[in-house]
Amino acid sequence: MEILFVRIDPVQEIAAEPATLDTLRDILRPKAVEPRASEEFLAMARGCGWPLVYDEKIPPGYVHCRPTPGAPPPLTDAQIADYLRALMPKEQPGA
């Protein structure tokens, strides 16, 4: 089965239809031999502690990485730019 990830920042929940999520759980389950995923990916995925949620509305083979329901929406590009601008040092007069 090919699994496609659909990411919406910030990721706080992973949802997929039952068969796809079961396949993902199997991929992420620690095994003596890891034939399907890189060690780096497995270590990252196991360390996140994201809730895994069955969602029968998602097509087979797709995994949605999404905010927890009720979480605030992600920042817009303009909000991120304003935030980063505020972190930049102000230009000193006469410099």
Side-chain angles (χ1 to χ4, degrees):
M1 168 189 287
E2 179 180 52
I3 295 180
L4 303 171
F5 282 83
V6 179
R7 186 174 136 200
I8 301 170
D9 290 323
V11 175
Q12 297 168 328
E13 175 182 272
I14 295 180
E17 62 88 30
T20 301
L21 191 59
D22 289 343
T23 300
L24 181 62
R25 284 179 195 268
D26 182 54
I27 290 169
L28 297 176
R29 180 178 50 81
K31 297 177 230 20
V33 177
E34 300 287 4
R36 293 172 284 186
S38 72
E39 288 293 327
E40 295 81 10
F41 172 78
L42 291 166
M44 180 273 310
R46 290 178 186 145
C48 288
W50 291 324
L52 301 176
V53 178
Y54 288 122
D55 187 339
E56 295 183 4
K57 295 175 283 191
I58 299 173
Y62 282 83
V63 176
H64 285 206
C65 301
R66 60 192 184 196
T68 301
L75 297 175
T76 65
D77 289 342
Q79 289 171 315
I80 293 169
D82 289 343
Y83 175 77
L84 293 174
R85 221 179 341 271
L87 295 174
M88 299 296 288
K90 304 289 186 231
E91 194 171 313
Q92 300 294 324

